[in-house]
Amino acid sequence: QVQLVESGGGLVQAGGSLRLSCAASGRTFSTYVMGWFRQAPGKEREFVAAMRWRGGSTYYADSVKGRFTISRDNAKNTVYLQMNSLKPEDTAVYYCAADRTIAIMTDGDLYEYWGQGTQVTVSS
């Protein structure tokens, strides 16, 4: 049973930073792609970033490129999303997702496993 548990959300002022964590368990994730998505109130879910666990290839949404960094810690089976230069429009619930695939996917409907989400609020 795959479990994904996010943490690290909170309230931060514009221009600040947060680091989200996604602790993964229940599988060997070397053949998985891990993704971060977000959903703001009244808006559709949005792709943020993804990483192929083996090899570490990454892909970012244009809206976060240069500000956010996805990374992993193999020993801890944890994926991170370092968020810098945060803007009020980054406010959303952030979700970690995983799927056993080699293709980096931006469509959330293609991910099989999801965490419960963590709230990020950026004040202006």
Side-chain angles (χ1 to χ4, degrees):
Q1 177 94 7
V2 173
Q3 281 196 319
L4 304 174
V5 180
E6 301 99 332
S7 61
L11 173 64
V12 64
Q13 287 189 330
S17 298
L18 281 175
R19 189 178 78 160
L20 305 183
S21 299
C22 172
S25 61
R27 289 286 191 278
T28 300
F29 288 91
S30 60
T31 57
Y32 279 65
V33 165
M34 308 297 293
W36 284 98
F37 292 79
R38 65 187 182 186
Q39 188 165 21
K43 294 189 176 181
E44 293 193 353
R45 183 177 58 202
E46 175 187 21
F47 168 78
V48 175
M51 163 180 273
R52 185 180 296 119
W53 197 288
R54 178 175 291 167
S57 300
T58 59
Y59 187 77
Y60 298 91
D62 287 342
S63 58
V64 306
K65 202 172 294 182
R67 300 189 298 123
F68 291 11
T69 303
I70 186 172
S71 63
R72 72 196 185 301
D73 184 325
N74 290 331
K76 295 183 178 180
N77 245 21
T78 298
V79 175
Y80 302 100
L81 185 69
Q82 177 67 43
M83 306 186 296
N84 299 329
S85 302
L86 283 162
K87 305 175 182 179
E89 51 263 44
D90 295 318
T91 295
V93 177
Y94 283 70
Y95 297 91
C96 176
D99 197 80
R100 188 178 182 185
T101 179
I102 61 172
I104 290 184
M105 306 178 296
T106 61
D107 183 349
D109 289 342
L110 300 178
Y111 284 79
E112 182 172 0
Y113 304 104
W114 290 84
Q116 83 288 352
T118 185
Q119 176 71 47
V120 171
T121 303
V122 184
S123 63
S124 57

